[in-house]
Amino acid sequence: KLYEMNKVISDTAEYGCYLYTQACIPLLKDFMAKIDTSVIGTKFNKGDNGVDNRRLIEINEAIESHAVEKIGRMLRGHMSAMKKISTVSE
């Protein structure tokens, strides 16, 4: 789902994905190991979840050149007070 979010939304979603991957997944690892799949279900796609990197690069380039992303880059450039993301390992 996070890949799909990045594919159709923006850099902001991609940043959220990195934040989730770096900070949330490690925090949830032990908790989720104790949860039975009867409670949360199982993976919908039982097949290959591989990503075609060439296609991903094409998609990212198309997203990055969109007018919304250009404006987003400019706006994020004004957000000088943003802080580094802390991770569990730090």
Side-chain angles (χ1 to χ4, degrees), residues 10-80:
S10 69
D11 277 350
T12 304
E14 190 169 359
Y15 176 78
C17 176
Y18 297 140
L19 174 64
Y20 180 81
T21 301
Q22 295 298 314
C24 296
I25 289 177
L27 290 171
L28 293 172
K29 186 176 181 181
D30 290 337
F31 172 77
M32 293 305 293
K34 299 171 190 165
I35 301 297
D36 185 59
T37 56
S38 65
V39 175
I40 61 169
T42 59
K43 187 169 131 182
F44 178 72
N45 177 4
K46 302 270 186 192
D48 179 21
N49 279 337
V51 175
D52 179 348
N53 282 336
R54 289 184 185 131
R55 181 70 180 130
L56 183 58
I57 289 168
E58 287 174 17
I59 291 167
N60 282 339
E61 286 173 353
I63 291 170
E64 289 169 9
S65 65
H66 192 277
V68 168
E69 288 303 320
K70 291 176 184 176
I71 292 168
R73 274 191 296 279
M74 181 190 70
L75 293 174
R76 286 188 296 278
H78 294 289
M79 297 178 192
S80 58

